[in-house]
Every structure is written in C-alpha cells, then in structure tokens.
Amino acid sequence: MGKFAKKLREYLDRNPIQYAEGDSLLDELYWCYIESNYNADPEIQEQFQKLYSSMPELSPSKFDEIFSLINALTANQEKTAFQTGIKIGFRLAAELFE
C-alpha cells in the first residue's frame, strides 16, 4: 500500500487538482454530493410553510431576506457535518489499515 500511496502523491504533485467549486478536496466532495443528491424533501417544504405563516407581519421581501440568512447558516452546518464525516471516515480507515 505504501508504494501506491507514494506514486499517487508524486502524480498529484505533478498534476495539481483544479477545484471547480471550492478550495479543497473536502469542498469539492461536498459540492459533488449536493449536486447529485439534491432533494426537495416534502417535510422541509412543510416546515418552510410553517415558518412563513408564523411571521405574517413580514413582507415577502423581508421574509426572503431572513430566510436567506437561515438557509446560509444551515447550509454551512450541513457542509461542516459532511466534511467532518469524511474526516472521521479517513481516520477510521487509517486506524484499520495501520
């Protein structure tokens, strides 16, 4: 396994990765995952409608502004959780194969 890893590192040193969506391999994995697993979950849509109806005093544009902030926060949390899962998986694999 060590010879393969060495050859792979040498190859990557000669041919650096050009990331399309982020600045790291973890960012790239996350964006590939999101693009291929987008799901407009009916439960999420229902929760969105509950959120919207719970703030009737807000104009649609003000609600959209607030919702954009909420969406950005949850997207960042989802990305962090995804990347942490990948890191844990790699650590587990390293421990299993040492």
Side-chain angles (χ1 to χ4, degrees):
M1 187 69 167
K3 289 196 311 190
F4 174 75
K6 182 180 180 200
K7 286 185 179 200
L8 181 58
R9 284 181 194 259
E10 289 170 357
Y11 173 81
L12 290 174
D13 287 343
R14 289 189 313 271
N15 303 285
I17 298 170
Q18 300 298 317
Y19 300 114
E21 298 292 339
D23 58 1
S24 73
L25 183 54
L26 285 176
D27 280 345
E28 196 71 18
L29 285 170
Y30 173 72
W31 288 112
C32 288
Y33 170 79
I34 289 299
E35 287 178 6
S36 65
N37 290 294
Y38 176 75
N39 184 4
D41 187 328
E43 185 178 339
I44 292 172
Q45 296 299 324
E46 182 181 326
Q47 291 171 345
F48 173 75
Q49 290 302 320
K50 286 180 183 178
L51 178 63
Y52 184 74
S53 64
S54 72
M55 296 185 255
E57 68 279 357
L58 294 178
S59 68
S61 63
K62 188 64 176 174
F63 178 80
D64 286 346
E65 181 183 332
I66 292 169
F67 183 72
S68 292
L69 293 170
I70 293 168
N71 193 35
L73 174 63
T74 56
N76 284 337
Q77 289 176 323
E78 180 183 65
K79 180 180 173 186
T80 299
F82 176 87
Q83 292 179 345
T84 300
I86 296 290
K87 289 175 184 177
I88 289 170
F90 276 111
R91 286 187 184 141
L92 176 61
E95 287 180 19
L96 290 174
F97 294 110
E98 282 184 352

XYZ file of all heavy atoms in Angstrom:
805
model
N 0.827 -1.198 0.000
C 0.000 0.000 0.000
C 0.869 1.259 0.000
O 0.501 2.252 -0.583
C -0.933 -0.052 1.209
C -1.942 1.036 1.234
S -3.141 0.785 -0.076
C -4.398 1.896 0.378
N 2.019 1.200 0.643
C 2.889 2.363 0.716
C 3.403 2.806 -0.641
O 3.518 4.003 -0.910
N 3.725 1.836 -1.530
C 4.217 2.191 -2.862
C 3.124 2.883 -3.670
O 3.395 3.844 -4.389
C 4.719 0.937 -3.594
C 6.001 0.402 -3.006
C 6.773 -0.584 -3.845
C 6.103 -1.728 -4.451
N 6.985 -2.739 -5.044
N 1.911 2.400 -3.542
C 0.801 3.013 -4.262
C 0.584 4.450 -3.782
O 0.429 5.364 -4.593
C -0.482 2.207 -4.068
C -1.680 2.872 -4.667
C -1.879 2.873 -6.040
C -2.605 3.518 -3.857
C -2.986 3.499 -6.593
C -3.710 4.149 -4.399
C -3.903 4.135 -5.774
N 0.587 4.651 -2.477
C 0.381 6.000 -1.916
C 1.492 6.933 -2.374
O 1.230 8.093 -2.710
C 0.317 5.929 -0.390
N 2.734 6.445 -2.414
C 3.853 7.275 -2.853
C 3.685 7.682 -4.315
O 3.857 8.847 -4.677
C 5.172 6.529 -2.662
C 6.375 7.350 -3.039
C 7.665 6.590 -2.828
C 8.813 7.500 -3.241
N 10.021 6.793 -3.525
N 3.302 6.725 -5.161
C 3.094 7.043 -6.578
C 1.933 8.019 -6.757
O 1.998 8.920 -7.596
C 2.852 5.768 -7.378
C 4.098 4.958 -7.588
C 3.842 3.779 -8.485
C 5.153 3.027 -8.667
N 5.145 2.190 -9.836
N 0.889 7.853 -5.982
C -0.245 8.757 -6.059
C 0.157 10.170 -5.644
O -0.188 11.147 -6.312
C -1.401 8.260 -5.188
C -2.671 9.093 -5.190
C -3.239 9.231 -6.593
C -3.707 8.471 -4.268
N 0.924 10.283 -4.571
C 1.404 11.605 -4.140
C 2.281 12.256 -5.212
O 2.171 13.450 -5.474
C 2.180 11.506 -2.831
C 1.328 11.330 -1.624
C 2.217 11.278 -0.382
N 1.475 10.782 0.729
C 0.963 11.548 1.682
N 1.140 12.846 1.629
N 0.295 11.022 2.673
N 3.165 11.481 -5.800
C 4.024 12.012 -6.857
C 3.197 12.492 -8.041
O 3.451 13.563 -8.597
C 5.030 10.948 -7.305
C 6.101 10.651 -6.275
C 6.948 9.435 -6.625
O 6.670 8.768 -7.658
O 7.885 9.146 -5.865
N 2.188 11.712 -8.403
C 1.314 12.103 -9.507
C 0.586 13.405 -9.184
O 0.521 14.315 -10.008
C 0.307 10.991 -9.810
C -0.714 11.414 -10.834
C -0.412 11.375 -12.196
C -1.966 11.888 -10.449
C -1.329 11.794 -13.142
C -2.887 12.310 -11.386
C -2.577 12.260 -12.733
O -3.486 12.691 -13.665
N 0.041 13.501 -7.983
C -0.693 14.714 -7.590
C 0.227 15.927 -7.500
O -0.192 17.042 -7.797
C -1.425 14.490 -6.268
C -2.609 13.525 -6.335
C -3.172 13.273 -4.938
C -3.693 14.030 -7.268
N 1.482 15.704 -7.115
C 2.441 16.812 -7.092
C 2.694 17.334 -8.508
O 2.832 18.535 -8.723
C 3.763 16.380 -6.448
C 3.655 16.222 -4.941
O 2.683 16.749 -4.346
O 4.542 15.560 -4.354
N 2.752 16.422 -9.467
C 2.987 16.816 -10.863
C 1.726 17.364 -11.527
O 1.808 18.127 -12.482
C 3.482 15.618 -11.684
C 4.881 15.159 -11.374
C 5.376 14.115 -12.379
N 4.428 13.041 -12.653
C 4.347 11.892 -11.957
N 5.149 11.682 -10.936
N 3.449 10.972 -12.287
N 0.563 16.952 -11.049
C -0.722 17.313 -11.661
C -1.683 17.825 -10.595
O -2.598 17.116 -10.190
C -1.345 16.088 -12.360
C -0.435 15.513 -13.396
O -0.290 16.079 -14.465
N 0.195 14.388 -13.084
N -1.479 19.057 -10.134
C -2.344 19.558 -9.061
C -3.805 19.603 -9.497
O -4.119 19.799 -10.663
C -1.813 20.963 -8.775
C -0.876 21.287 -9.867
C -0.522 20.032 -10.589
N -4.665 19.399 -8.542
C -6.103 19.399 -8.790
C -6.606 20.832 -8.937
O -6.264 21.703 -8.144
C -6.842 18.703 -7.630
C -6.393 17.242 -7.523
C -8.348 18.792 -7.805
C -6.875 16.546 -6.270
N -7.414 21.050 -9.958
C -8.075 22.344 -10.135
C -9.510 22.187 -9.631
O -10.335 21.583 -10.294
C -8.068 22.744 -11.621
C -6.689 22.873 -12.220
C -5.866 23.954 -11.545
O -6.355 25.041 -11.264
N -4.611 23.655 -11.277
N -9.771 22.705 -8.470
C -11.093 22.554 -7.866
C -12.101 23.465 -8.558
O -11.829 24.627 -8.810
C -11.042 22.873 -6.376
C -10.101 21.967 -5.614
C -8.952 22.464 -5.033
C -10.382 20.617 -5.498
C -8.091 21.624 -4.335
C -9.528 19.777 -4.808
C -8.392 20.279 -4.228
O -7.537 19.449 -3.551
N -13.270 22.924 -8.843
C -14.313 23.686 -9.534
C -15.144 24.534 -8.578
O -15.534 25.644 -8.898
C -15.226 22.732 -10.303
N -15.430 24.020 -7.397
C -16.379 24.684 -6.502
C -15.791 25.214 -5.198
O -16.445 25.959 -4.494
C -17.524 23.721 -6.154
C -18.340 23.286 -7.331
C -19.151 24.418 -7.940
O -19.398 25.425 -7.269
O -19.524 24.284 -9.104
N -14.622 24.791 -4.838
C -14.082 25.219 -3.550
C -12.573 25.288 -3.606
O -11.974 25.245 -4.668
N -11.980 25.358 -2.430
C -10.527 25.469 -2.388
C -9.872 24.251 -1.744
O -8.711 24.282 -1.406
C -10.110 26.746 -1.662
C -10.634 26.820 -0.241
O -11.301 25.876 0.202
O -10.369 27.838 0.427
N -10.644 23.186 -1.586
C -10.074 21.967 -1.034
C -10.825 20.760 -1.579
O -11.924 20.884 -2.133
C -10.162 21.969 0.497
O -11.504 21.758 0.904
N -10.235 19.609 -1.396
C -10.876 18.378 -1.835
C -12.175 18.144 -1.060
O -13.171 17.691 -1.623
C -9.924 17.199 -1.656
C -10.430 15.847 -2.132
C -10.883 15.904 -3.583
C -9.370 14.786 -1.943
N -12.195 18.489 0.224
C -13.422 18.328 1.004
C -14.537 19.221 0.467
O -15.695 18.800 0.391
C -13.171 18.621 2.487
C -12.428 17.532 3.248
C -12.147 17.993 4.678
C -13.203 16.233 3.247
N -14.212 20.455 0.077
C -15.220 21.325 -0.539
C -15.749 20.702 -1.826
O -16.949 20.695 -2.090
C -14.640 22.702 -0.871
C -14.564 23.628 0.329
O -15.200 23.327 1.359
O -13.876 24.653 0.221
N -14.838 20.186 -2.622
C -15.223 19.586 -3.900
C -16.134 18.371 -3.685
O -17.153 18.211 -4.366
C -13.975 19.181 -4.676
C -14.197 18.919 -6.114
C -14.491 20.178 -6.930
O -14.205 21.299 -6.482
O -15.026 20.016 -8.036
N -15.788 17.514 -2.735
C -16.624 16.360 -2.424
C -18.012 16.791 -1.969
O -19.024 16.210 -2.370
C -15.972 15.498 -1.338
C -14.805 14.634 -1.758
C -14.128 14.033 -0.529
C -15.251 13.547 -2.709
N -18.056 17.814 -1.138
C -19.341 18.293 -0.637
C -20.213 18.796 -1.777
O -21.387 18.444 -1.883
C -19.132 19.397 0.405
C -20.428 20.032 0.827
C -21.326 19.343 1.625
C -20.769 21.310 0.404
C -22.524 19.914 2.004
C -21.962 21.882 0.772
C -22.840 21.185 1.575
O -24.029 21.753 1.924
N -19.650 19.615 -2.678
C -20.445 20.164 -3.768
C -20.886 19.074 -4.736
O -22.006 19.111 -5.245
C -19.697 21.294 -4.472
C -19.657 22.509 -3.603
C -18.553 23.051 -3.001
C -20.771 23.298 -3.182
N -18.924 24.121 -2.226
C -20.278 24.301 -2.324
C -22.136 23.260 -3.431
C -21.098 25.257 -1.730
C -22.958 24.211 -2.836
C -22.440 25.190 -1.993
N -20.049 18.088 -4.975
C -20.462 16.961 -5.824
C -21.612 16.209 -5.167
O -22.574 15.815 -5.833
C -19.289 16.018 -6.069
S -18.038 16.686 -7.174
N -21.513 16.021 -3.863
C -22.584 15.340 -3.136
C -23.893 16.128 -3.227
O -24.945 15.571 -3.535
C -22.172 15.156 -1.678
C -23.317 14.689 -0.800
C -23.702 13.351 -0.799
C -24.002 15.583 0.006
C -24.757 12.930 -0.018
C -25.060 15.167 0.792
C -25.433 13.836 0.775
O -26.484 13.427 1.547
N -23.829 17.422 -2.982
C -25.032 18.257 -3.004
C -25.656 18.258 -4.394
O -26.879 18.132 -4.542
C -24.701 19.701 -2.563
C -24.403 19.743 -1.068
C -25.823 20.670 -2.893
C -25.561 19.307 -0.191
N -24.854 18.409 -5.422
C -25.384 18.461 -6.784
C -26.037 17.144 -7.198
O -27.017 17.144 -7.940
C -24.289 18.840 -7.767
C -23.893 20.296 -7.666
C -22.775 20.682 -8.607
O -22.360 19.844 -9.431
O -22.305 21.829 -8.509
N -25.516 16.034 -6.708
C -26.074 14.749 -7.126
C -27.142 14.225 -6.169
O -27.818 13.256 -6.485
C -24.966 13.711 -7.265
O -24.371 13.457 -6.013
N -27.320 14.868 -5.016
C -28.289 14.384 -4.036
C -29.293 15.450 -3.613
O -29.845 15.374 -2.519
C -27.568 13.853 -2.792
C -26.849 12.575 -3.078
O -27.476 11.562 -3.364
N -25.537 12.611 -3.034
N -29.518 16.429 -4.475
C -30.494 17.463 -4.117
C -31.861 16.823 -3.972
O -32.289 16.046 -4.812
C -30.550 18.573 -5.168
C -31.619 19.596 -4.845
C -31.412 20.516 -3.839
C -32.833 19.579 -5.505
C -32.396 21.435 -3.516
C -33.827 20.488 -5.186
C -33.601 21.419 -4.193
O -34.575 22.314 -3.861
N -32.523 17.169 -2.896
C -33.817 16.569 -2.629
C -34.726 17.617 -2.003
O -34.441 18.115 -0.934
C -33.644 15.377 -1.685
C -34.942 14.651 -1.437
O -35.973 14.970 -2.020
N -34.887 13.674 -0.577
N -35.803 17.928 -2.695
C -36.788 18.859 -2.144
C -37.720 18.055 -1.243
O -38.824 17.680 -1.622
C -37.546 19.555 -3.254
N -37.250 17.758 -0.069
C -37.968 16.934 0.893
C -39.309 17.574 1.249
O -39.351 18.738 1.657
C -37.093 16.785 2.141
C -37.638 15.820 3.159
O -38.865 15.696 3.287
O -36.815 15.191 3.839
N -40.418 16.843 1.141
C -41.734 17.407 1.481
C -41.810 17.894 2.929
O -42.459 18.897 3.210
C -42.702 16.243 1.251
C -41.998 15.309 0.342
C -40.529 15.490 0.602
N -41.115 17.227 3.833
C -41.116 17.658 5.237
C -40.442 19.025 5.377
O -40.913 19.885 6.127
C -40.408 16.623 6.107
C -40.485 16.945 7.596
C -39.824 15.881 8.456
O -39.654 14.743 8.006
O -39.476 16.227 9.595
N -39.360 19.226 4.643
C -38.679 20.519 4.685
C -39.580 21.598 4.105
O -39.674 22.706 4.646
C -37.330 20.452 3.944
C -36.364 19.552 4.715
C -36.736 21.846 3.764
C -35.076 19.257 3.995
N -40.254 21.293 3.012
C -41.189 22.253 2.419
C -42.305 22.611 3.404
O -42.693 23.773 3.514
C -41.780 21.685 1.118
C -40.755 21.458 0.027
C -40.058 22.741 -0.388
O -40.654 23.808 -0.427
N -38.783 22.639 -0.695
N -42.800 21.614 4.115
C -43.843 21.855 5.119
C -43.327 22.750 6.242
O -44.013 23.676 6.684
C -44.320 20.521 5.690
C -45.436 20.647 6.704
C -45.855 19.305 7.272
O -45.812 18.293 6.535
O -46.218 19.276 8.461
N -42.111 22.508 6.702
C -41.518 23.342 7.752
C -41.314 24.765 7.257
O -41.504 25.724 8.008
C -40.207 22.722 8.238
C -40.414 21.440 8.998
C -39.114 20.723 9.288
O -38.066 21.012 8.716
N -39.168 19.754 10.187
N -40.922 24.918 6.002
C -40.770 26.243 5.415
C -42.104 26.984 5.439
O -42.165 28.166 5.796
C -40.241 26.134 3.987
C -40.206 27.453 3.263
C -39.237 28.401 3.556
C -41.150 27.753 2.299
C -39.206 29.615 2.894
C -41.131 28.965 1.631
C -40.156 29.900 1.935
N -43.182 26.305 5.073
C -44.508 26.935 5.086
C -44.924 27.324 6.498
O -45.508 28.392 6.715
C -45.551 26.007 4.457
C -45.393 25.852 2.960
C -45.462 27.194 2.238
O -46.251 28.067 2.566
N -44.600 27.365 1.239
N -44.606 26.486 7.486
C -44.892 26.823 8.889
C -44.111 28.062 9.310
O -44.639 28.941 9.998
C -44.558 25.644 9.806
C -45.545 24.516 9.741
C -45.125 23.396 10.693
C -46.057 22.230 10.606
N -45.649 21.116 11.487
N -42.851 28.119 8.917
C -42.023 29.283 9.237
C -42.613 30.537 8.611
O -42.751 31.566 9.270
C -40.589 29.060 8.748
C -39.598 30.199 8.967
C -39.402 30.462 10.453
C -38.269 29.868 8.303
N -42.963 30.448 7.349
C -43.532 31.588 6.634
C -44.835 32.050 7.282
O -45.027 33.245 7.518
C -43.760 31.222 5.168
C -44.256 32.379 4.341
C -43.390 33.409 3.985
C -45.573 32.447 3.925
C -43.835 34.488 3.231
C -46.026 33.521 3.166
C -45.161 34.533 2.824
O -45.596 35.592 2.090
N -45.714 31.120 7.622
C -47.011 31.505 8.208
C -46.863 31.992 9.652
O -47.749 32.672 10.156
C -48.005 30.347 8.130
O -47.556 29.261 8.910
N -45.741 31.683 10.306
C -45.551 32.141 11.686
C -45.109 33.603 11.758
O -45.066 34.184 12.836
C -44.538 31.260 12.411
O -43.243 31.505 11.931
N -44.812 34.201 10.614
C -44.377 35.601 10.586
C -45.199 36.399 9.572
O -44.652 36.976 8.630
C -42.891 35.670 10.235
C -41.994 35.023 11.259
S -40.258 35.256 10.862
C -39.841 33.627 10.274
N -46.522 36.478 9.770
C -47.370 37.142 8.770
C -47.117 38.644 8.653
O -47.438 39.250 7.636
C -48.785 36.851 9.257
C -48.645 36.613 10.722
C -47.283 35.998 10.906
N -46.511 39.238 9.674
C -46.277 40.680 9.641
C -45.125 41.076 8.716
O -44.965 42.247 8.391
C -46.030 41.224 11.059
C -44.730 40.773 11.704
C -44.776 39.380 12.337
O -45.840 38.732 12.343
O -43.729 38.942 12.827
N -44.344 40.097 8.297
C -43.210 40.401 7.427
C -43.646 40.450 5.964
O -44.436 39.636 5.511
C -42.122 39.331 7.572
C -41.425 39.232 8.925
C -40.418 38.103 8.903
C -40.748 40.536 9.288
N -43.084 41.400 5.264
C -43.329 41.453 3.820
C -42.613 40.272 3.176
O -41.654 39.737 3.745
C -42.790 42.759 3.239
O -41.378 42.767 3.314
N -43.050 39.852 1.993
C -42.353 38.746 1.328
C -40.857 39.014 1.137
O -40.033 38.111 1.296
C -43.079 38.622 -0.015
C -44.454 39.111 0.274
C -44.258 40.237 1.266
N -40.487 40.250 0.834
C -39.064 40.535 0.625
C -38.278 40.460 1.932
O -37.143 39.970 1.956
C -38.858 41.889 -0.047
O -39.328 42.923 0.782
N -38.867 40.925 3.034
C -38.181 40.838 4.331
C -38.076 39.377 4.778
O -37.042 38.951 5.294
C -38.924 41.668 5.395
C -38.178 41.784 6.694
C -36.862 42.530 6.511
C -36.150 42.729 7.815
N -34.819 43.310 7.630
N -39.145 38.614 4.550
C -39.093 37.190 4.883
C -38.004 36.498 4.070
O -37.241 35.697 4.603
C -40.445 36.505 4.639
C -40.395 35.038 4.927
C -40.487 34.579 6.225
C -40.205 34.128 3.903
C -40.411 33.225 6.505
C -40.117 32.770 4.172
C -40.231 32.320 5.475
N -37.912 36.798 2.778
C -36.877 36.194 1.928
C -35.479 36.549 2.431
O -34.575 35.716 2.400
C -37.041 36.635 0.480
C -38.210 35.963 -0.210
O -38.735 34.962 0.335
O -38.601 36.434 -1.293
N -35.318 37.775 2.905
C -34.017 38.197 3.446
C -33.662 37.365 4.678
O -32.529 36.870 4.797
C -34.076 39.680 3.803
C -32.792 40.244 4.353
C -32.943 41.713 4.747
O -33.780 42.424 4.163
O -32.214 42.129 5.668
N -34.626 37.209 5.576
C -34.392 36.423 6.799
C -34.167 34.956 6.448
O -33.255 34.307 6.970
C -35.565 36.592 7.785
C -35.582 38.018 8.321
C -35.479 35.582 8.927
C -36.836 38.379 9.087
N -34.998 34.434 5.541
C -34.868 33.033 5.167
C -33.521 32.770 4.513
O -32.926 31.699 4.716
C -36.003 32.604 4.237
C -35.942 31.152 3.897
C -36.260 30.190 4.838
C -35.524 30.749 2.644
C -36.186 28.843 4.536
C -35.448 29.402 2.328
C -35.778 28.452 3.275
N -33.005 33.704 3.743
C -31.689 33.532 3.123
C -30.605 33.387 4.176
O -29.682 32.574 4.027
C -31.373 34.717 2.206
O -32.220 34.699 1.093
N -30.709 34.157 5.246
C -29.738 34.040 6.346
C -29.851 32.683 7.027
O -28.838 32.037 7.326
C -29.942 35.162 7.365
C -29.631 36.576 6.882
C -30.099 37.600 7.908
C -28.150 36.726 6.600
N -31.078 32.242 7.278
C -31.293 30.930 7.900
C -30.755 29.828 6.998
O -30.074 28.904 7.454
C -32.796 30.713 8.199
C -33.272 31.687 9.273
C -33.072 29.269 8.615
C -34.787 31.741 9.436
N -31.038 29.937 5.712
C -30.585 28.937 4.759
C -29.063 28.870 4.708
O -28.477 27.782 4.669
C -31.165 29.244 3.375
C -30.999 28.108 2.424
O -31.065 26.951 2.802
N -30.790 28.438 1.166
N -28.403 30.016 4.704
C -26.936 30.044 4.676
C -26.354 29.386 5.931
O -25.386 28.625 5.857
C -26.435 31.480 4.544
N -26.966 29.667 7.078
C -26.495 29.082 8.333
C -26.641 27.572 8.313
O -25.698 26.841 8.633
C -27.275 29.667 9.513
C -26.999 29.053 10.880
C -25.551 29.283 11.289
C -27.937 29.652 11.917
N -27.792 27.068 7.912
C -27.994 25.622 7.900
C -27.133 24.952 6.841
O -26.649 23.843 7.052
C -29.480 25.254 7.705
O -29.968 25.862 6.511
C -30.315 25.716 8.882
N -26.914 25.613 5.713
C -26.045 25.046 4.675
C -24.615 24.925 5.194
O -23.934 23.917 4.936
C -26.091 25.898 3.412
N -24.157 25.930 5.927
C -22.805 25.867 6.492
C -22.697 24.746 7.521
O -21.681 24.048 7.584
C -22.406 27.201 7.109
C -22.042 28.227 6.068
O -21.675 27.895 4.945
N -22.159 29.494 6.413
N -23.746 24.563 8.324
C -23.732 23.474 9.301
C -23.732 22.117 8.599
O -23.027 21.201 9.001
C -24.930 23.588 10.242
C -24.813 24.742 11.203
C -26.055 24.903 12.064
O -27.178 24.696 11.614
N -25.856 25.274 13.308
N -24.520 21.986 7.541
C -24.564 20.731 6.787
C -23.207 20.432 6.158
O -22.732 19.298 6.189
C -25.631 20.824 5.703
C -25.747 19.568 4.869
C -26.755 19.723 3.756
O -26.517 20.559 2.858
O -27.777 19.023 3.786
N -22.572 21.452 5.595
C -21.257 21.277 4.972
C -20.229 20.840 6.015
O -19.441 19.920 5.767
C -20.821 22.579 4.304
C -19.483 22.512 3.629
C -19.141 23.848 3.008
C -17.742 23.877 2.469
N -17.368 25.202 1.989
N -20.239 21.474 7.167
C -19.306 21.114 8.236
C -19.531 19.668 8.677
O -18.574 18.911 8.850
C -19.460 22.071 9.433
O -19.151 23.396 8.989
C -18.545 21.688 10.575
N -20.791 19.275 8.831
C -21.095 17.906 9.243
C -20.637 16.905 8.187
O -20.059 15.860 8.511
C -22.595 17.749 9.501
N -20.873 17.214 6.914
C -20.449 16.333 5.820
C -18.936 16.169 5.841
O -18.410 15.049 5.787
C -20.910 16.919 4.484
C -20.435 16.139 3.293
C -21.168 15.064 2.821
C -19.256 16.482 2.651
C -20.730 14.345 1.720
C -18.809 15.764 1.546
C -19.546 14.697 1.085
N -18.214 17.276 5.920
C -16.760 17.218 5.889
C -16.195 16.524 7.121
O -15.212 15.788 7.028
C -16.187 18.617 5.716
C -16.490 19.185 4.345
C -15.961 20.590 4.142
O -15.597 21.280 5.092
N -15.897 21.024 2.899
N -16.814 16.726 8.266
C -16.371 16.043 9.480
C -16.566 14.539 9.340
O -15.705 13.757 9.740
C -17.128 16.580 10.708
O -16.855 17.979 10.828
C -16.699 15.866 11.981
N -17.675 14.131 8.734
C -17.909 12.708 8.496
C -16.839 12.099 7.605
O -16.372 10.984 7.853
N -16.442 12.824 6.567
C -15.376 12.342 5.686
C -14.071 12.206 6.468
O -13.361 11.199 6.358
C -15.176 13.291 4.483
C -16.423 13.331 3.600
C -13.936 12.920 3.678
C -16.702 12.072 2.835
N -13.739 13.205 7.267
C -12.502 13.161 8.052
C -12.506 11.980 9.010
O -11.498 11.277 9.156
C -12.325 14.462 8.835
C -11.990 15.653 7.969
C -11.945 16.915 8.826
C -11.721 18.153 7.994
N -11.742 19.378 8.826
N -13.630 11.747 9.673
C -13.728 10.618 10.605
C -13.559 9.308 9.846
O -12.875 8.395 10.315
C -15.069 10.666 11.368
C -15.060 11.833 12.357
C -15.344 9.344 12.085
C -16.413 12.121 12.976
N -14.160 9.216 8.657
C -14.015 8.007 7.849
C -12.569 7.742 7.475
O -12.097 6.599 7.531
N -11.846 8.789 7.099
C -10.433 8.617 6.755
C -9.611 8.217 7.971
O -8.710 7.378 7.879
C -9.850 9.881 6.121
C -10.121 9.976 4.653
C -10.985 10.941 4.156
C -9.523 9.109 3.763
C -11.248 11.027 2.804
C -9.779 9.188 2.395
C -10.645 10.155 1.919
N -9.908 8.790 9.111
C -9.174 8.414 10.325
C -9.450 6.960 10.687
O -8.547 6.223 11.089
C -9.547 9.341 11.479
C -8.929 10.695 11.341
C -9.170 11.556 12.561
N -8.626 12.871 12.319
C -9.200 14.004 12.696
N -10.319 13.979 13.376
N -8.637 15.166 12.427
N -10.707 6.549 10.553
C -11.055 5.168 10.831
C -10.311 4.225 9.885
O -9.739 3.224 10.318
C -12.576 4.958 10.693
C -13.079 3.535 10.853
C -12.735 2.995 12.241
C -14.574 3.470 10.606
N -10.308 4.563 8.594
C -9.596 3.730 7.628
C -8.110 3.664 7.972
O -7.493 2.574 7.895
C -9.794 4.274 6.209
N -7.521 4.782 8.361
C -6.093 4.805 8.714
C -5.834 3.876 9.911
O -4.852 3.138 9.936
C -5.636 6.227 9.022
N -6.717 3.942 10.909
C -6.536 3.083 12.084
C -6.713 1.621 11.730
O -5.974 0.758 12.240
C -7.535 3.480 13.182
C -7.198 4.782 13.858
C -8.193 5.163 14.933
O -8.939 4.278 15.406
O -8.218 6.341 15.310
N -7.654 1.309 10.862
C -7.898 -0.086 10.486
C -6.760 -0.672 9.673
O -6.470 -1.868 9.768
C -9.208 -0.202 9.698
C -10.481 0.035 10.487
C -11.688 0.045 9.540
C -10.666 -1.020 11.556
N -6.101 0.161 8.855
C -5.079 -0.364 7.958
C -3.645 -0.128 8.433
O -2.717 -0.415 7.704
C -5.270 0.201 6.544
C -6.555 -0.299 5.922
C -7.614 0.563 5.732
C -6.678 -1.618 5.552
C -8.801 0.111 5.166
C -7.856 -2.078 4.984
C -8.925 -1.230 4.793
N -3.486 0.388 9.633
C -2.129 0.585 10.149
C -1.543 -0.703 10.653
O -2.138 -1.603 11.068
C -2.132 1.628 11.278
C -2.215 3.014 10.756
C -2.117 4.058 11.877
O -2.140 3.715 13.065
O -2.030 5.229 11.539
